[in-house]
């Protein structure tokens, strides 16, 4: 006895076709026998597989469609074929919060110009700091480079002419010298006296310097273990001016020997003391300018 199977040579039952489309032989057989359960189960499985395929294909098409719609929406929002990251629809600057707020302003300020140290040594009115030979030439010795000079006697007078020789006394008197300070240093048998003439104004000091010549020399200062020098021997002298000060040197041998152009030690000694005198006068102006700026 068969269940749903036709005779030999007859087509099987197709569950996807309506009964009217089945072959007459199968209709007759089906109407009189039991259904073929195995065939129906196979057909159901086939139908489920087709549904899964349709769902997968449909989902993929839906995703593609959504992506295309989003892309079109972005392109349409930007317009004019501009890239999405180009802000072509920014509000005007007036619509941006804080865009119209003025930037903070500050009152212009300027530091006062620095004080000129030379102004404080250009006249007696401003040059009021204490002054003496030991202030200009402090200590007991002087070091210039690798050379050390021992400090000897000092002198200070208001009679400027008494501290000078030859053509210098009338020049000092004529131009109003008010004070003359001297100090002597010695090293290895070479002595030098440095003298500083004080005037009321820079103009007087400059004029006095211009009126000097090679015979305008100061009087050497001996004492404190330093023998007299340059009284009759040939010595080397210098003269210069800075601010309201004139400064001079006279250098020679303590044994009375004449100085020649080959005696470089004498020239070096005179130049060292002239340089130191200039530095001390300059520092005097710097110290007073600094004090005035801090008041």
């Amino acid at each position: 006895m068969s269940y749903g199977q036709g005779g030999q040579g007859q087509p099987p039952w197709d569950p996807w076709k309506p009964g009217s489309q089945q072959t007459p032989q199968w209709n007759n057989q089906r109407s009189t026998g039991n259904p073929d359960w195995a065939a129906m189960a196979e057909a159901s499985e086939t139908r489920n597989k087709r549904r899964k395929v349709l769902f997968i294909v449909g989902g993929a098409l839906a995703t593609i469609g959504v992506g295309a719609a989003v892309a079109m929406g972005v392109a349409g929002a930007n317009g004019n074929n501009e890239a999405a990251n180009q802000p072509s629809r920014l509000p005007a600057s007036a619509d941006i919060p804080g865009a119209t707020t003025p930037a903070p302003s500050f009152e212009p300020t300027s530091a006062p110009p620095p004080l000129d140290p030379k102004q404080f040594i250009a006249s007696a009115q401003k040059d009021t700091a204490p002054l003496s030979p030991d202030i200009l030439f402090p200590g007991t010795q002087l070091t210039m480079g690798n050379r050390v000079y021992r400090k000897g006697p000092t002198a200070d007078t208001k009679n400027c002419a008494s501290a000078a020789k030859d053509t210098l006394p009338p020049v000092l008197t004529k131009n109003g010298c008010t004070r003359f300070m001297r100090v002597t240093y010695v090293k290895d048998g070479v002595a030098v006296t440095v003298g500083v003439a004080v005037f009321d104004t820079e103009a007087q000091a400059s004029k006095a310097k211009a009126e000097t010549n090679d015979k305008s020399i100061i009087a050497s200062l001996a004492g404190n273990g330093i023998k007299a020098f340059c009284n009759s021997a040939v010595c080397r002298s210098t003269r210069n001016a800075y601010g309201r000060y004139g400064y001079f040197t006279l250098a020679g041998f303590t044994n009375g020997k004449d100085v020649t152009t080959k005696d470089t030690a004498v020239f070096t000694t005179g130049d060292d003391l002239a340089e130191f005198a200039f530095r001390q006068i300059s520092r005097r102006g710097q110290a007073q300018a600094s004090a005035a700026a801090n008041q």
Side-chain angles (χ1 to χ4, degrees), residues 159-177 180 199 208 211-213 215-219 248:
N159 183 3
C160 299
S162 67
K165 287 185 176 182
D166 293 340
T167 61
L168 184 57
V171 172
L172 297 175
T173 302
K174 175 184 176 181
N175 290 284
C177 177
F180 205 101
F199 300 86
E211 293 177 357
T212 61
N213 54 39
K215 294 183 178 181
S216 300
I217 61 174
I218 61 174
F248 309 82

Side-chain angles (χ1 to χ4, degrees), residues 247-283:
Y247 55 99
F248 309 82
T249 66
L250 183 67
F253 292 105
T254 57
N255 61 5
K257 177 185 174 181
D258 288 341
V259 176
T260 68
T261 55
K262 295 181 181 180
D263 296 318
T264 57
V266 176
F267 283 78
T268 299
T269 299
D271 290 343
D272 281 348
L273 266 297
E275 174 67 19
F276 185 68
F278 167 76
R279 291 182 185 179
Q280 291 299 94
I281 296 170
S282 178
R283 287 170 183 166

